[in-house]
Amino acid sequence: MTDDIVITGMGVVTPIGGDVQSFWSANLEGRSGIVLEERMDTTGLPCGWTAGLIPEEVKEKVAAGHGAPHRSWGDTLMHASVEQALTDARLDAQPAAEGPAALVYARVWPGPTGSFPQDYVTHMNDLAERYDTTGNDPAAVLRHLRGKDLPLETRDLSAYPREIAERLGTAVLPVRLEATCSGGLRAIAEAARLLRSGRARYAVVSASVSRNTPYVLSQYGQLMALSRWKGDPALASMPFDRRRTGMVINESAGALVLETAEHAAARGIAEPYAVIGGWGLAVDTSHMTAPRAEMIERVMRTALAEAGARPDDVDTVNAHGTSTRLNDVTEARALHRVFGERMAELPVSAVKSLTGHGSAASGVVETVASALTMRHGIVPPVPTCTEPDPACAVRTSLTPVARPVGAVLKNSFGFGGQYASMLLRRPDASRPAPEAV
């Protein structure tokens, strides 16, 4: 057996589907989950009128099946996606002897915003009451808070790994990552590293985000990062389109089960979704929000080298594709540096065109799409890129592209200079020999 790390289970809760099957169908159909943000007053904001929102019927199902009084909505979403992944991997009823397990999760700290607009209002009212009562005296603040319920985002910090351990029936090695929009892909890489080290027999990876509040919208608005599109909401996220005006934030969650190929085979898993070929990670301190093409190029080349692959081995790219003016053209420039003339025919997909940007969750959710691209031999369309930007010059399609896919390069980048890229291989694709260094 090889030391391959394989994906054996997947789960998602997204604006375009509350499970993997509906999520994939929406990708192929070009069905958007971006709608007008009508849960709060956005009239005072320069942008943020649209959002990728989970449909109400999906929310109700998730809340009924996985909600709890002590859980934030972000953790509820993660529980729902993890349950899907465990069932998919046939680990939902696995005995405790299958442990220990690794749990690697990325949950973007929502700050003083909660998960819903009403949480933001509650938080601001609580702050006002506390200040009126105590001023800035630390001792008075402590007396004021004693006996009060803390926000869910504070109380559930340690509950999630404990609950997953109880669910699995075994001890877990928990690792929480905070790496902004690259967090999901970094979580997959960390889980693969733990499995290769022999510290766990299988790993659960999860990530979630839900931050559609006036506070978050105003922050992103000040950065001029949010879409200012005022037409059809479904067109608000336009990766690589010359008309793009910014990203649309969403609420979503994704989960994966990772195992060594040997462990999966011993359990009778004959057809894993994908092999984690290799990855590249970097942190660049030159700018907090502006990506650099040379750093994107570096992590992509590292991912290829770690996988023993060449640019010619890549059949499609699942781009970060945020729809911001700067990110899209910077990612495109790096792609041209790596793939050269092949960019004229290399298909590029961008899931955020339909879902919006799920921050750390996007890396996991889009890895699901990448794995299904290989399994079905279909590259999803980018239906909002109807006027491709010549400055990007990437090959997107308005309809699904059927073609054999043996390897996908997946990119994720984030504020704070976070960069991640990962090569995924189809399990039945021949494994290239590592090149001599």
Side-chain angles (χ1 to χ4, degrees), residues 264-319:
R267 293 200 305 113
I269 305 297
E271 297 184 12
Y273 288 102
V275 176
I276 308 299
W279 57 85
L281 307 174
V283 177
D284 179 19
T285 59
S286 63
H287 199 283
M288 286 295 293
T289 59
R292 290 200 296 151
E294 52 265 41
M295 296 302 294
I296 297 175
E297 178 186 5
R298 174 186 293 183
V299 293
M300 288 193 292
R301 291 193 183 277
T302 301
L304 292 170
E306 290 292 328
R310 302 165 300 168
D312 286 351
D313 297 320
V314 175
D315 298 301
T316 183
V317 174
N318 188 299

Side-chain angles (χ1 to χ4, degrees), residues 334-352:
L335 287 169
H336 281 275
R337 291 183 183 182
V338 172
F339 294 101
E341 294 180 356
R342 283 198 66 214
M343 286 302 296
E345 53 85 22
L346 185 67
V348 174
S349 62
V351 177
K352 295 180 184 70

Side-chain angles (χ1 to χ4, degrees), residues 88 148 192 306:
D88 190 29
K148 288 183 175 290
E306 290 292 328

Side-chain angles (χ1 to χ4, degrees), residues 165-191:
E166 291 175 351
R167 175 66 187 83
L168 297 176
T170 187
V172 299
L173 174 63
V175 179
R176 181 187 172 194
L177 295 178
E178 178 65 74
T180 62
C181 306
S182 70
L185 214 56
R186 284 176 173 267
I188 299 170
E190 176 63 13

Side-chain angles (χ1 to χ4, degrees), residues 32-121:
S32 178
I34 298 175
V35 297
L36 285 175
E37 174 56 272
E38 297 178 323
R39 303 177 304 168
M40 66 183 103
D41 183 7
T42 60
T43 55
L45 298 174
C47 47
W49 305 281
T50 58
L53 299 180
I54 298 169
E56 287 302 318
E57 63 273 18
V58 175
K59 286 184 179 180
E60 292 173 4
K61 183 178 179 180
V62 168
H66 305 280
H70 65 279
R71 283 183 190 161
S72 68
W73 179 237
D75 274 18
T76 300
L77 289 174
M78 281 204 292
H79 276 281
S81 61
V82 166
E83 194 64 33
Q84 291 179 36
L86 292 175
T87 301
D88 190 29
R90 305 209 303 261
L91 278 168
D92 50 325
Q94 203 71 18
E98 278 299 315
L103 170 65
V104 187
Y105 62 108
R107 178 181 56 190
V108 176
W109 178 246
T113 63
S115 300
F116 298 105
Q118 60 266 31
D119 297 331
Y120 170 81
V121 175

